[in-house]
Amino acid sequence: MLILTRKLGENIRIGDKIKISILDVKGGQVKLGIEAPPHVAVHREEIYERIRDENQRASGVSPRGLREVANAFRVGKHKRQGREGS
Amino acid sequence: MIEIETHEWGTLKVKEDTIIHFQDGLLGFEELCDFVFVDVAEFRPFVWFSSVEDPQVRFAVADPFYFSTKAYDVSLSAADEAGLELEEGDSIAIFVIVSIDNGQVTGNLKGPIVLNTRNRRAKQLVVYGTSFPVRQPMLNRRVVPLHSAVANAAVKTTPAA
């Protein structure tokens, strides 16, 4: 991993098209400005982690459980917002 | 026809041109690139999405409109379009992975799957913004395309010559 030290107001360039600016440093937080072309996806790491965790969780859905909710949905007895109903 | 081993449904014979290919797999399942839909009547409106490479891995998927009536603004970046080899006139399908917790069904609107129906290339997107959560509870109703709403109600007529 490349490690660079930057001061407030200084930037980092990644290739020709990506610029990362240090906009603010306060307490334990750093505010970054990111300029990147539209084909580069920029997301917080946690978003990827959440989707990864959710994929993992979803891979455990059982046919039995899905059959139940599918049946309930088809007969219009779908439980909404977690409310229990029969 | 090729044969696919699945834990749930045993050996499935599928046409090669029904296999859906992910260049980068799904997040957390990056090594699995090929999937097939397994549509079983008793599970509708859900469809199973089963790995060709790992018999144990399958997801339940559904139309995003079962989870949100908001306009589902999934904009594809140039890189997404390139990954899907999207060309003028191609159709794309968008669906979401479903999970169930304690009888509560949720859809992952934050990481939908987008599919180019022409070449069956697919990609799991990461949607920008905060409007679409990873666990969106299922609605009791959904928005359907107009032509499906009018399918039984419309007067059928042949076009004038």
Side-chain angles (χ1 to χ4, degrees):
Chain A
M1 184 193 283
L2 171 69
I3 299 172
L4 301 170
T5 304
R6 302 273 64 197
K7 293 197 179 93
L8 192 63
E10 292 182 336
N11 308 317
I12 292 168
R13 284 268 180 187
I14 301 172
D16 300 337
K17 305 270 166 63
I18 300 176
K19 183 167 124 177
I20 298 173
S21 317
I22 314 302
L23 300 179
D24 198 12
V25 184
K26 208 181 280 174
Q29 280 195 322
V30 181
K31 191 183 272 183
L32 303 173
I34 298 156
E35 287 171 51
H39 68 266
V40 177
V42 180
H43 295 283
R44 293 177 176 86
E45 171 77 21
E46 307 90 91
I47 303 291
Y48 285 93
E49 280 170 11
R50 267 163 46 207
I51 293 176
R52 188 177 299 126
D53 289 350
E54 194 57 22
N55 283 349
Q56 204 72 51
R57 207 168 81 95
S59 70
V61 167
S62 70
R64 193 176 152 197
L66 193 69
R67 194 181 292 116
E68 275 173 25
V69 295
N71 278 335
F73 184 81
R74 281 199 304 262
V75 300
K77 289 180 182 170
H78 178 64
K79 293 172 194 169
R80 198 173 185 185
Q81 305 290 328
R83 197 175 60 212
E84 293 296 312
S86 59
Chain B
M1 292 289 234
I2 62 161
E3 293 191 344
I4 296 172
E5 293 304 323
T6 68
H7 175 70
E8 235 73 69
W9 306 282
T11 305
L12 299 176
K13 281 189 178 168
V14 302
K15 288 187 192 159
E16 274 173 71
D17 66 4
T18 59
I19 294 172
I20 289 157
H21 182 74
F22 289 77
Q23 210 166 9
D24 312 311
L26 293 161
L27 285 166
F29 296 87
E30 286 82 358
E31 71 287 3
L32 304 179
C33 294
D34 291 329
F35 285 80
V36 288
F37 287 113
V38 182
D39 183 16
V40 186
E42 62 176 335
F43 294 111
R44 286 182 197 162
F46 308 101
V47 179
W48 289 101
F49 194 54
S50 188
S51 168
V52 170
E53 292 133 315
D54 185 340
Q56 304 284 342
V57 176
R58 75 285 175 287
F59 300 93
V61 298
D63 191 315
F65 296 109
Y66 285 113
F67 301 89
S68 177
T69 53
K70 269 191 268 184
Y72 194 36
D73 178 21
V74 176
S75 40
L76 297 177
S77 70
D80 296 334
E81 292 190 3
L84 297 169
E85 294 177 8
L86 208 60
E87 291 171 10
E88 198 68 35
D90 281 354
S91 302
I92 57 167
I94 294 171
F95 53 97
V96 297
I97 298 179
V98 166
S99 52
I100 305 173
D101 189 17
N102 213 357
Q104 168 77 68
V105 190
T106 60
N108 183 353
L109 297 182
K110 190 76 187 164
I113 296 170
V114 57
L115 164 71
N116 182 343
T117 59
R118 176 181 55 85
N119 56 19
R120 299 168 317 281
R121 288 188 164 264
K123 191 174 165 60
Q124 185 167 31
L125 301 180
V126 179
V127 178
Y128 280 101
T130 51
S131 328
F132 297 110
V134 167
R135 288 183 199 170
Q136 175 68 46
M138 192 173 187
L139 301 165
N140 279 328
R141 54 189 71 84
R142 65 164 183 152
V143 176
V144 295
L146 179 61
H147 64 258
S148 100
V150 301
N152 298 317
V155 176
K156 292 187 177 65
T157 175
T158 49

mmCIF file of all heavy atoms in Angstrom, chain B residues 22-44:
data_model
loop_
_atom_site.group_PDB
_atom_site.id
_atom_site.type_symbol
_atom_site.label_atom_id
_atom_site.label_comp_id
_atom_site.label_asym_id
_atom_site.label_seq_id
_atom_site.Cartn_x
_atom_site.Cartn_y
_atom_site.Cartn_z
ATOM 1 N N PHE B 22 -22.009 -13.315 -14.945
ATOM 2 C CA PHE B 22 -21.490 -12.125 -14.254
ATOM 3 C C PHE B 22 -19.993 -12.073 -14.470
ATOM 4 O O PHE B 22 -19.292 -13.051 -14.172
ATOM 5 C CB PHE B 22 -21.722 -12.229 -12.743
ATOM 6 C CG PHE B 22 -23.151 -12.096 -12.316
ATOM 7 C CD1 PHE B 22 -24.027 -13.154 -12.465
ATOM 8 C CD2 PHE B 22 -23.610 -10.918 -11.752
ATOM 9 C CE1 PHE B 22 -25.348 -13.038 -12.061
ATOM 10 C CE2 PHE B 22 -24.926 -10.797 -11.349
ATOM 11 C CZ PHE B 22 -25.801 -11.857 -11.500
ATOM 12 N N GLN B 23 -19.519 -10.944 -14.925
ATOM 13 C CA GLN B 23 -18.077 -10.807 -15.115
ATOM 14 C C GLN B 23 -17.359 -10.850 -13.760
ATOM 15 O O GLN B 23 -16.306 -11.460 -13.639
ATOM 16 C CB GLN B 23 -17.799 -9.469 -15.802
ATOM 17 C CG GLN B 23 -16.572 -9.493 -16.670
ATOM 18 C CD GLN B 23 -16.524 -8.290 -17.588
ATOM 19 O OE1 GLN B 23 -17.324 -7.346 -17.479
ATOM 20 N NE2 GLN B 23 -15.581 -8.309 -18.506
ATOM 21 N N ASP B 24 -17.988 -10.215 -12.750
ATOM 22 C CA ASP B 24 -17.318 -10.115 -11.456
ATOM 23 C C ASP B 24 -18.037 -10.872 -10.349
ATOM 24 O O ASP B 24 -17.785 -10.634 -9.175
ATOM 25 C CB ASP B 24 -17.224 -8.638 -11.032
ATOM 26 C CG ASP B 24 -16.714 -7.754 -12.152
ATOM 27 O OD1 ASP B 24 -15.688 -8.106 -12.749
ATOM 28 O OD2 ASP B 24 -17.354 -6.727 -12.439
ATOM 29 N N GLY B 25 -18.957 -11.738 -10.698
ATOM 30 C CA GLY B 25 -19.711 -12.446 -9.670
ATOM 31 C C GLY B 25 -20.591 -11.494 -8.871
ATOM 32 O O GLY B 25 -20.857 -10.363 -9.287
ATOM 33 N N LEU B 26 -21.041 -11.955 -7.711
ATOM 34 C CA LEU B 26 -21.822 -11.117 -6.808
ATOM 35 C C LEU B 26 -20.924 -10.778 -5.625
ATOM 36 O O LEU B 26 -20.038 -11.561 -5.285
ATOM 37 C CB LEU B 26 -23.047 -11.887 -6.305
ATOM 38 C CG LEU B 26 -24.112 -12.231 -7.344
ATOM 39 C CD1 LEU B 26 -25.003 -13.352 -6.834
ATOM 40 C CD2 LEU B 26 -24.939 -11.013 -7.656
ATOM 41 N N LEU B 27 -21.195 -9.648 -4.970
ATOM 42 C CA LEU B 27 -20.375 -9.272 -3.820
ATOM 43 C C LEU B 27 -20.412 -10.391 -2.773
ATOM 44 O O LEU B 27 -21.480 -10.824 -2.358
ATOM 45 C CB LEU B 27 -20.874 -7.960 -3.215
ATOM 46 C CG LEU B 27 -20.532 -6.687 -3.998
ATOM 47 C CD1 LEU B 27 -21.349 -5.505 -3.506
ATOM 48 C CD2 LEU B 27 -19.046 -6.385 -3.912
ATOM 49 N N GLY B 28 -19.251 -10.844 -2.385
ATOM 50 C CA GLY B 28 -19.165 -11.949 -1.421
ATOM 51 C C GLY B 28 -19.157 -13.318 -2.093
ATOM 52 O O GLY B 28 -18.872 -14.329 -1.454
ATOM 53 N N PHE B 29 -19.525 -13.344 -3.371
ATOM 54 C CA PHE B 29 -19.536 -14.606 -4.134
ATOM 55 C C PHE B 29 -18.819 -14.362 -5.469
ATOM 56 O O PHE B 29 -19.307 -14.745 -6.527
ATOM 57 C CB PHE B 29 -20.977 -15.070 -4.387
ATOM 58 C CG PHE B 29 -21.734 -15.402 -3.129
ATOM 59 C CD1 PHE B 29 -22.408 -14.423 -2.425
ATOM 60 C CD2 PHE B 29 -21.754 -16.712 -2.648
ATOM 61 C CE1 PHE B 29 -23.092 -14.729 -1.256
ATOM 62 C CE2 PHE B 29 -22.443 -17.022 -1.478
ATOM 63 C CZ PHE B 29 -23.114 -16.035 -0.779
ATOM 64 N N GLU B 30 -17.687 -13.699 -5.374
ATOM 65 C CA GLU B 30 -17.004 -13.223 -6.578
ATOM 66 C C GLU B 30 -16.565 -14.350 -7.500
ATOM 67 O O GLU B 30 -16.358 -14.146 -8.691
ATOM 68 C CB GLU B 30 -15.791 -12.358 -6.209
ATOM 69 C CG GLU B 30 -16.134 -10.961 -5.703
ATOM 70 C CD GLU B 30 -16.509 -10.916 -4.223
ATOM 71 O OE1 GLU B 30 -16.537 -11.974 -3.572
ATOM 72 O OE2 GLU B 30 -16.765 -9.797 -3.730
ATOM 73 N N GLU B 31 -16.406 -15.555 -6.912
ATOM 74 C CA GLU B 31 -15.902 -16.665 -7.724
ATOM 75 C C GLU B 31 -17.023 -17.340 -8.529
ATOM 76 O O GLU B 31 -16.763 -18.172 -9.387
ATOM 77 C CB GLU B 31 -15.161 -17.684 -6.836
ATOM 78 C CG GLU B 31 -16.033 -18.517 -5.910
ATOM 79 C CD GLU B 31 -16.615 -17.758 -4.701
ATOM 80 O OE1 GLU B 31 -16.412 -16.523 -4.570
ATOM 81 O OE2 GLU B 31 -17.284 -18.413 -3.894
ATOM 82 N N LEU B 32 -18.275 -16.976 -8.226
ATOM 83 C CA LEU B 32 -19.400 -17.594 -8.925
ATOM 84 C C LEU B 32 -19.921 -16.644 -10.007
ATOM 85 O O LEU B 32 -20.452 -15.592 -9.709
ATOM 86 C CB LEU B 32 -20.527 -17.944 -7.943
ATOM 87 C CG LEU B 32 -20.121 -18.849 -6.779
ATOM 88 C CD1 LEU B 32 -21.311 -19.114 -5.870
ATOM 89 C CD2 LEU B 32 -19.535 -20.158 -7.283
ATOM 90 N N CYS B 33 -19.743 -17.036 -11.251
ATOM 91 C CA CYS B 33 -20.057 -16.116 -12.347
ATOM 92 C C CYS B 33 -21.269 -16.539 -13.173
ATOM 93 O O CYS B 33 -21.782 -15.736 -13.958
ATOM 94 C CB CYS B 33 -18.839 -15.958 -13.257
ATOM 95 S SG CYS B 33 -17.476 -15.149 -12.406
ATOM 96 N N ASP B 34 -21.695 -17.792 -13.049
ATOM 97 C CA ASP B 34 -22.796 -18.263 -13.893
ATOM 98 C C ASP B 34 -23.987 -18.708 -13.058
ATOM 99 O O ASP B 34 -23.837 -19.477 -12.100
ATOM 100 C CB ASP B 34 -22.326 -19.418 -14.783
ATOM 101 C CG ASP B 34 -21.341 -18.949 -15.836
ATOM 102 O OD1 ASP B 34 -21.455 -17.794 -16.271
ATOM 103 O OD2 ASP B 34 -20.461 -19.733 -16.224
ATOM 104 N N PHE B 35 -25.147 -18.213 -13.433
ATOM 105 C CA PHE B 35 -26.382 -18.521 -12.703
ATOM 106 C C PHE B 35 -27.493 -18.864 -13.689
ATOM 107 O O PHE B 35 -27.426 -18.487 -14.861
ATOM 108 C CB PHE B 35 -26.814 -17.315 -11.859
ATOM 109 C CG PHE B 35 -25.985 -17.117 -10.615
ATOM 110 C CD1 PHE B 35 -24.744 -16.500 -10.683
ATOM 111 C CD2 PHE B 35 -26.441 -17.560 -9.384
ATOM 112 C CE1 PHE B 35 -23.971 -16.318 -9.539
ATOM 113 C CE2 PHE B 35 -25.678 -17.381 -8.233
ATOM 114 C CZ PHE B 35 -24.440 -16.761 -8.315
ATOM 115 N N VAL B 36 -28.501 -19.576 -13.197
ATOM 116 C CA VAL B 36 -29.727 -19.792 -13.980
ATOM 117 C C VAL B 36 -30.931 -19.433 -13.098
ATOM 118 O O VAL B 36 -30.877 -19.553 -11.880
ATOM 119 C CB VAL B 36 -29.890 -21.251 -14.476
ATOM 120 C CG1 VAL B 36 -28.907 -21.562 -15.591
ATOM 121 C CG2 VAL B 36 -29.755 -22.254 -13.332
ATOM 122 N N PHE B 37 -31.995 -19.024 -13.762
ATOM 123 C CA PHE B 37 -33.264 -18.832 -13.057
ATOM 124 C C PHE B 37 -33.944 -20.180 -12.915
ATOM 125 O O PHE B 37 -33.959 -20.967 -13.872
ATOM 126 C CB PHE B 37 -34.196 -17.909 -13.851
ATOM 127 C CG PHE B 37 -33.785 -16.464 -13.844
ATOM 128 C CD1 PHE B 37 -33.359 -15.845 -15.006
ATOM 129 C CD2 PHE B 37 -33.854 -15.718 -12.678
ATOM 130 C CE1 PHE B 37 -32.995 -14.507 -15.009
ATOM 131 C CE2 PHE B 37 -33.491 -14.377 -12.668
ATOM 132 C CZ PHE B 37 -33.059 -13.771 -13.837
ATOM 133 N N VAL B 38 -34.479 -20.444 -11.743
ATOM 134 C CA VAL B 38 -35.301 -21.634 -11.549
ATOM 135 C C VAL B 38 -36.682 -21.135 -11.110
ATOM 136 O O VAL B 38 -36.839 -20.614 -10.004
ATOM 137 C CB VAL B 38 -34.698 -22.589 -10.493
ATOM 138 C CG1 VAL B 38 -35.561 -23.838 -10.342
ATOM 139 C CG2 VAL B 38 -33.259 -22.968 -10.860
ATOM 140 N N ASP B 39 -37.631 -21.251 -12.023
ATOM 141 C CA ASP B 39 -38.969 -20.688 -11.788
ATOM 142 C C ASP B 39 -39.916 -21.828 -11.427
ATOM 143 O O ASP B 39 -40.238 -22.666 -12.255
ATOM 144 C CB ASP B 39 -39.427 -19.982 -13.077
ATOM 145 C CG ASP B 39 -40.775 -19.303 -12.905
ATOM 146 O OD1 ASP B 39 -41.205 -19.108 -11.747
ATOM 147 O OD2 ASP B 39 -41.390 -18.961 -13.932
ATOM 148 N N VAL B 40 -40.311 -21.872 -10.171
ATOM 149 C CA VAL B 40 -41.206 -22.924 -9.702
ATOM 150 C C VAL B 40 -42.504 -22.253 -9.245
ATOM 151 O O VAL B 40 -42.462 -21.309 -8.444
ATOM 152 C CB VAL B 40 -40.583 -23.702 -8.518
ATOM 153 C CG1 VAL B 40 -41.451 -24.899 -8.136
ATOM 154 C CG2 VAL B 40 -39.167 -24.152 -8.850
ATOM 155 N N ALA B 41 -43.639 -22.716 -9.769
ATOM 156 C CA ALA B 41 -44.923 -22.042 -9.544
ATOM 157 C C ALA B 41 -45.182 -21.746 -8.065
ATOM 158 O O ALA B 41 -45.627 -20.654 -7.716
ATOM 159 C CB ALA B 41 -46.053 -22.881 -10.128
ATOM 160 N N GLU B 42 -44.890 -22.713 -7.197
ATOM 161 C CA GLU B 42 -45.246 -22.532 -5.785
ATOM 162 C C GLU B 42 -44.478 -21.399 -5.093
ATOM 163 O O GLU B 42 -44.862 -20.978 -4.006
ATOM 164 C CB GLU B 42 -45.039 -23.837 -5.014
ATOM 165 C CG GLU B 42 -43.607 -24.293 -5.014
ATOM 166 C CD GLU B 42 -43.371 -25.532 -4.165
ATOM 167 O OE1 GLU B 42 -44.145 -25.772 -3.228
ATOM 168 O OE2 GLU B 42 -42.406 -26.263 -4.466
ATOM 169 N N PHE B 43 -43.375 -20.953 -5.719
ATOM 170 C CA PHE B 43 -42.589 -19.883 -5.088
ATOM 171 C C PHE B 43 -42.911 -18.498 -5.641
ATOM 172 O O PHE B 43 -42.367 -17.506 -5.187
ATOM 173 C CB PHE B 43 -41.093 -20.153 -5.249
ATOM 174 C CG PHE B 43 -40.619 -21.364 -4.508
ATOM 175 C CD1 PHE B 43 -40.212 -22.486 -5.199
ATOM 176 C CD2 PHE B 43 -40.594 -21.383 -3.120
ATOM 177 C CE1 PHE B 43 -39.777 -23.614 -4.523
ATOM 178 C CE2 PHE B 43 -40.164 -22.500 -2.434
ATOM 179 C CZ PHE B 43 -39.748 -23.626 -3.138
ATOM 180 N N ARG B 44 -43.726 -18.440 -6.692
ATOM 181 C CA ARG B 44 -44.017 -17.119 -7.265
ATOM 182 C C ARG B 44 -44.710 -16.244 -6.236
ATOM 183 O O ARG B 44 -45.485 -16.752 -5.441
ATOM 184 C CB ARG B 44 -44.901 -17.301 -8.510
ATOM 185 C CG ARG B 44 -44.076 -17.840 -9.678
ATOM 186 C CD ARG B 44 -44.926 -17.971 -10.909
ATOM 187 N NE ARG B 44 -44.247 -18.843 -11.884
ATOM 188 C CZ ARG B 44 -44.854 -19.437 -12.900
ATOM 189 N NH1 ARG B 44 -46.150 -19.289 -13.076
ATOM 190 N NH2 ARG B 44 -44.176 -20.180 -13.735
#
